[in-house]
Amino acid sequence: MDDAGLSTVLFAMIAGAIRVSTPFLFVSLGECLTEKSGRINLGLEGTLVFGAMSAYAISYETGSPWLGVLVAGFAGMMFGALHGYICKLPKVNDIAIGIALMLFGTGLAFFFGKAYIQPAAPRLPSIPLGWWSDNPQIRQVMDVNPLFLVGAVLAVAMWWAFKNTRLGLVVRTTGDSAPAALALGVNVNLVRFLATAAGGFLAGVGGSFLSLFYPGSWTEGLSSGQGLMAVALVIFSRWNPLACFGAALLFGAAGALGPALQSIGISRGYHFFNAAPYLMTLAIMILSISPKRSLKGAPGELSITK
Amino acid sequence: MSATAAALAEPPVSPLGAKKAIGLETIGMTKIFGSMVALGDVSIKVKPGSFHALLGENGAGKSTLVKCIMGFYQPTRGSVLIDGRETEISNPKVARDVGIGMVYQHFTLVPSLTATENLVIARADVPSVIDWKKEKKSLDALFDRMPFRVPLDVPVSSLAAGEKQKLEILKQLYLDQRFLILDEPTSVLTPGEADEILGLLKTMTDAGDLTILMISHKFREVTAFADEFSVLRKGEYMGGGVTANVSVAEMSRMMIGDMKLRERAARKTFEKQPVVLDLAGICAEDDEGLPAVDAVNLKIRAGEIVGIAGVSGNGQSELIETLTGQRDLTSGRFFVKDQPYEPSREKMAKFKVFGLPEEPLKNACVRRMTVAENLAFRSFDQPPISKRRGFLSPGPMRAKAKELIAAYRVKTPGPDEPIENLSGGNVQRAVLARELSTQVEVLIVANPCFGLDFASIAEIRSQIMDQRNGGAAVLLVSEDLDEILELSDRVAVMSEGRIDYVAPIGETDRATIGQAMAGHH
């Protein structure tokens, strides 16, 4: 590989990190909020796919992609609220409900989405932040979607809010020790319900990015497990929103590896490089667990750590 | 000189400001769960500014009573008077607003939050955005007037148990609560710490700043600090009065009634017994991967009980877990009768190593399996239960279980009852039956009497003594210093994962052990 090839690959990976990371970022921030309150919502994969479908459909029907984003968010919120409500009932396991909702969400999206596979809906605009450069590669890299910026700001805001606001402390308290929260007079189920609903909203918005910006159309294989990988990403980031941002960029870059190598003519092992995010998820899971240690930073009320 | 003069001139100012202690009275408190009467018509009176002890066995209804006062439970009948006015406490928030605070036995601090965060979040009027600089300033100002301090900026999970207990009490004082309920507050403290904290609280009640209702079963603390006491037994009020006027014997009679406790077996004297269990340089890590047990050396002879005292969380649980095979060693070795020993099933059977771990339902039983199955854990893979490899015969298993249930007086509806349905004392008896019904060479015991009633405690302690008299080497870990002093031949003290103090029982005393527990010796 010569220097030009290497720089092309690097640019493509940075561009990929920015472009591909946004759904990871939104889903992982949503999951981070839900898990901080003490529940795991594995259904976010379904929420993501349904968000993608509903955003595309609304954008096509109304001509406004931003309305699509909003509707995707509210659809996601409904899924989150459903998860939050069912988990409140006695003897219900949040992981089982999550899997059920994952299948329900994807199934429902496929059912309603059949009609929208062909037509082209208006897509989200991007902001050309590379105007200062003459290098077309840089200009391409800096063509940033506003949702990416929103996600970045949200990550910082969540990180700050968990430390400095009453709401943040209440969520952390609920997630770490339900008895302590009860003793403070906090309604544990309500906090978890709201946190799961808000997490669903973010995952829905993440889905809208998939269908309205990159790859930018509605197909049934659109998500290919990104919602589930985002859950792994939250564990990798040790429940820290800022680390979620970094991890989302890393996953985005890994996802861009295969296409980037292909663009400079290395097509051998294309499918192998395409699998990089999945391999990374597996590697992270193996490296971050130990039979002897408990996970550091894990909220104490999670059904996997309890 | 002038400072002294000024101090003399001014009247003593209460460190907490102008508010005064509040008094509380319960009238005919009754709580019925289904068909069980947990609390029957209990009326107690706690005067403002008094230190009141609430005595009773486990299951006597103390927790139910205070949970009704705190608003966790709604009483079936009865009412609470606060400063003489009837007040309905519908939830813990209401209790907090009227000035009643509780320090629980299980901590209610949030482990991942710092002490500062824990204190601020507990307040009723937390602003939506918290100005940490301002909060820290006001906390520092408050703590300057407080009797004890704790580190404020590290997560609570990294605090020692004693510090957490202090922080729980500080939290209530920070919230300006004037009626404190303490649920066995000293169970995680060294005797020195316990005396310090209770003494400081006592000066506050004497000054009329605070009223305290303390749940306890330690007569030493009750007679030393409480002004008045009330006794509950089986959910009913058995009596009470001024502590100074009633003897300990009288109090304990009120608590347990006229029931006969099993007599302790006499301690048999042995001469020159061989070393049976040898712990050589044992090191282990805790769940976070930090060193928890640090080069522990201990030799235990046949017919000897070595008691390991210490404040909980100093590595005792981890040490026991290495011996029972629940935790890996990072270095060191065990020897039983000079042969290397690893806690595997074969070696346990070969060397006759048995154990009563703490929280037996969690560490020695499978909750949802039946009593008979739990009783067969040591023998299910041998005849007569397993005649052919891999096949079990339920008949002999149930027959054996019935035999053990009768011999150890385990109260269960039958051998086929899931063991989780048994009471704590009966689970412990069932484990005892399984572990002690054959010949025992080494016995490893951890907090065997935690949460049990007096009859069960007497029974279990004499069983342990019987095993010692029968020639077993016994390693006893207990957070209850009285238990250690009562049973041990030698006392070892564990502090921060190390054992630096070992002494024969006749050559040590409570004060010396207490100092070693705090890490000074």
Side-chain angles (χ1 to χ4, degrees):
Chain A
M1 203 189 297
D2 54 17
D3 278 358
L6 187 67
S7 73
T8 311
V9 170
L10 280 178
F11 272 120
M13 283 181 69
I14 295 168
I18 292 173
R19 221 172 24 210
V20 183
S21 63
T22 308
F24 282 124
L25 180 58
F26 274 89
V27 179
S28 63
L29 287 181
E31 183 67 14
C32 182
L33 177 61
T34 307
E35 291 194 13
K36 277 274 190 194
S37 81
R39 282 224 185 103
I40 295 177
N41 182 2
L42 280 185
L44 290 189
E45 168 76 10
T47 312
L48 186 79
V49 174
F50 193 85
M53 190 284 297
S54 54
Y56 198 76
I58 295 296
S59 173
Y60 175 73
E61 300 291 350
T62 67
S64 162
W66 288 110
L67 191 64
V69 173
L70 203 65
V71 168
F74 280 109
M77 199 157 93
M78 297 314 290
F79 276 101
L82 187 62
H83 186 279
Y85 175 76
I86 298 175
C87 287
K88 184 180 88 173
L89 305 171
K91 294 192 178 178
V92 167
N93 177 287
D94 54 350
I95 292 185
I97 297 303
I99 292 173
L101 280 180
M102 174 165 83
L103 298 173
F104 179 61
T106 33
L108 211 61
F110 292 173
F111 176 74
F112 288 117
K114 279 276 183 274
Y116 299 101
I117 292 176
Q118 284 300 329
R123 295 175 43 179
L124 288 171
S126 59
I127 306 173
L129 290 180
W131 45 265
W132 45 270
S133 172
D134 294 330
N135 187 330
Q137 282 181 330
I138 290 179
R139 294 184 80 128
Q140 199 202 339
V141 167
M142 296 308 287
D143 222 13
V144 175
N145 183 279
L147 277 181
F148 174 77
L149 300 175
V150 172
V153 171
L154 193 66
V156 178
M158 271 173 66
W159 171 78
W160 178 83
F162 277 138
K163 283 192 172 161
N164 292 300
T165 64
R166 179 182 59 203
L167 219 58
L169 285 185
V170 166
V171 169
R172 281 168 66 198
T173 301
T174 314
D176 211 32
S177 168
L182 281 175
L184 295 178
V186 170
N187 184 340
V188 171
N189 279 325
L190 182 69
V191 170
R192 291 186 179 160
F193 174 80
L194 293 177
T196 316
F201 184 91
L202 293 182
V205 171
S208 73
F209 180 92
L210 281 177
S211 62
L212 293 180
F213 190 75
Y214 182 83
S217 63
W218 160 245
T219 57
E220 292 187 350
L222 190 63
S223 139
S224 54
Q226 290 184 31
L228 280 175
M229 277 187 276
V231 176
L233 203 144
V234 175
I235 299 175
F236 175 52
S237 351
R238 295 285 182 271
W239 295 269
N240 177 349
L242 279 190
C244 280
F245 181 56
L249 285 179
L250 191 67
F251 269 64
L257 186 62
L261 286 174
Q262 198 187 30
S263 70
I264 58 161
I266 300 178
S267 53
R268 179 184 289 181
Y270 174 71
H271 292 292
F272 176 76
F273 288 117
N274 264 351
Y278 306 96
L279 291 175
M280 212 159 85
T281 311
L282 201 61
I284 283 168
M285 283 321 207
I286 292 168
L287 291 177
S288 62
I289 56 164
S290 155
K292 290 181 201 162
R293 286 173 201 180
S294 53
L295 270 178
K296 237 190 169 119
E301 285 286 317
L302 288 185
S303 49
I304 49 165
T305 50
K306 221 174 167 181
Chain B
M1 276 306 278
S2 61
T4 326
L8 284 174
E10 279 175 31
V13 179
S14 122
L16 293 165
K19 264 163 80 180
K20 277 292 177 188
I22 54 181
L24 185 144
E25 209 176 321
T26 68
I27 295 177
M29 278 294 223
T30 305
K31 179 71 189 172
I32 300 172
F33 294 106
S35 61
M36 191 190 67
V37 181
L39 207 58
D41 202 23
V42 172
S43 303
I44 63 167
K45 186 170 181 173
V46 185
K47 290 181 197 141
S50 69
F51 197 125
H52 196 109
L54 183 60
L55 293 165
E57 284 210 67
N58 286 292
K62 296 168 301 187
S63 302
T64 314
L65 178 64
V66 296
K67 278 182 175 161
C68 285
I69 294 175
M70 285 300 295
F72 279 106
Y73 295 154
Q74 293 310 307
T76 313
R77 278 191 299 281
S79 56
V80 176
L81 303 191
I82 293 170
D83 281 337
R85 271 193 312 272
E86 188 170 336
T87 311
E88 199 193 315
I89 301 171
S90 49
N91 64 58
K93 248 183 184 159
V94 177
R96 180 175 70 184
D97 294 345
V98 297
I100 307 176
M102 178 156 172
V103 175
Y104 300 84
Q105 205 175 0
H106 302 285
F107 298 116
T108 56
L109 297 166
V110 187
S112 67
L113 267 54
T114 65
T116 310
E117 287 173 329
N118 264 294
L119 289 173
V120 171
I121 192 69
R123 229 169 53 195
D125 58 333
V126 196
S128 355
V129 175
I130 299 159
D131 180 355
W132 286 117
K133 260 194 195 139
K134 200 182 105 206
E135 298 292 347
K136 279 190 182 134
K137 232 181 186 171
S138 72
L139 274 176
D140 279 339
L142 174 87
F143 279 15
D144 284 343
R145 290 177 281 134
M146 282 294 153
F148 34 79
R149 297 194 74 102
V150 290
L152 285 174
D153 294 323
V154 294
V156 165
S157 55
S158 63
L159 296 183
E163 286 174 321
K164 285 185 197 165
Q165 186 75 68
K166 285 180 187 170
L167 182 59
E168 290 274 7
I169 293 170
L170 282 175
K171 183 167 96 182
Q172 299 305 328
L173 298 177
Y174 168 70
L175 297 175
D176 215 11
Q177 308 294 40
R178 296 312 172 108
F179 187 96
L180 280 195
I181 301 173
L182 309 177
D183 189 0
E184 302 200 6
T186 60
S187 56
V188 294
L189 303 177
T190 65
E193 281 178 315
D195 288 351
E196 182 200 351
I197 291 181
L198 293 180
L200 290 164
L201 291 173
K202 173 81 174 147
T203 57
M204 295 176 81
T205 59
D206 286 347
D209 291 326
L210 195 65
T211 313
I212 286 181
L213 177 63
M214 176 175 79
I215 296 180
S216 183
H217 58 242
K218 292 184 183 167
F219 291 122
R220 195 180 65 85
E221 286 165 5
V222 172
T223 49
F225 298 103
D227 306 313
E228 295 184 314
F229 72 99
S230 300
V231 180
L232 298 185
R233 185 188 343 143
K234 292 180 180 164
E236 287 183 29
Y237 180 74
M238 300 310 295
V242 176
T243 317
N245 299 344
V246 182
S247 69
V248 167
E250 180 66 8
M251 283 183 209
S252 93
R253 200 193 54 75
M254 286 183 194
M255 273 166 83
I256 61 176
D258 297 322
M259 182 179 50
K260 280 256 186 302
L261 295 182
R262 180 171 162 173
E263 286 283 325
R264 188 66 28 81
R267 190 180 292 271
K268 206 164 126 187
T269 44
F270 289 103
E271 293 287 333
K272 297 238 174 206
Q273 291 284 358
V275 170
V276 175
L277 178 64
D278 185 358
L279 282 63
I282 301 303
C283 295
E285 292 176 345
D286 65 10
D287 289 341
E288 309 275 319
L290 302 169
V293 181
D294 185 7
V296 164
N297 291 298
L298 205 57
K299 287 181 166 55
I300 303 171
R301 295 171 181 278
E304 179 184 49
I305 299 178
V306 174
I308 299 185
V311 178
S312 73
N314 274 287
Q316 303 97 314
S317 311
E318 285 83 0
L319 179 65
I320 291 291
E321 284 169 10
T322 59
L323 274 162
T324 51
Q326 288 170 289
R327 187 175 291 276
D328 290 340
L329 293 177
T330 45
S331 75
R333 284 187 95 168
F334 300 117
F335 296 93
V336 176
K337 295 189 167 170
D338 295 328
Q339 291 185 57
Y341 167 79
E342 300 84 38
S344 65
R345 196 173 165 78
E346 293 77 41
K347 294 240 167 145
M348 281 183 192
K350 184 181 162 205
F351 290 115
K352 303 189 174 64
V353 179
F354 293 91
L356 304 172
E358 57 191 345
E359 295 180 70
L361 194 56
K362 189 175 133 201
N363 287 314
C365 298
V366 179
R367 308 178 78 98
R368 287 180 193 163
M369 287 170 90
T370 67
V371 175
E373 285 165 339
N374 273 287
L375 283 172
F377 281 177
R378 293 274 181 194
S379 54
F380 72 90
D381 50 358
Q382 284 142 24
I385 297 178
S386 175
K387 289 188 188 102
R388 268 178 302 160
R389 256 192 170 325
F391 290 91
L392 299 186
S393 319
M397 185 171 13
R398 295 180 79 242
K400 178 81 185 159
K402 277 184 183 160
E403 200 181 293
L404 288 175
I405 287 168
Y408 284 80
R409 296 194 293 283
V410 184
K411 271 186 216 143
T412 165
D416 300 322
E417 187 74 10
I419 198 156
E420 64 177 348
N421 295 353
L422 270 55
S423 73
N426 284 308
V427 171
Q428 188 66 291
R429 273 198 203 104
V431 174
L432 218 55
R434 180 179 82 206
E435 301 292 310
L436 305 185
S437 53
T438 54
Q439 202 208 334
V440 177
E441 299 268 9
V442 177
L443 185 61
I444 295 150
V445 189
N447 291 317
C449 299
F450 188 79
L452 302 185
D453 57 276
F454 285 103
S456 304
I457 291 174
E459 170 93 34
I460 284 160
R461 288 189 184 158
S462 48
Q463 291 272 7
I464 294 170
M465 189 57 86
D466 283 345
Q467 291 299 330
R468 172 209 175 267
N469 289 343
V474 181
L475 176 66
L476 166 72
V477 168
S478 181
E479 284 159 29
D480 183 352
L481 192 50
D482 296 319
E483 183 167 75
I484 299 267
L485 292 173
E486 183 184 320
L487 290 174
S488 309
D489 296 284
R490 276 192 299 148
V491 182
V493 177
M494 198 155 179
S495 171
E496 289 172 15
R498 302 182 61 86
I499 292 184
D500 289 332
Y501 178 84
V502 184
I505 192 79
E507 296 169 20
T508 187
D509 56 40
R510 187 181 285 274
T512 319
I513 295 173
Q515 277 177 3
M517 280 162 81
H520 316 295
H521 44 83

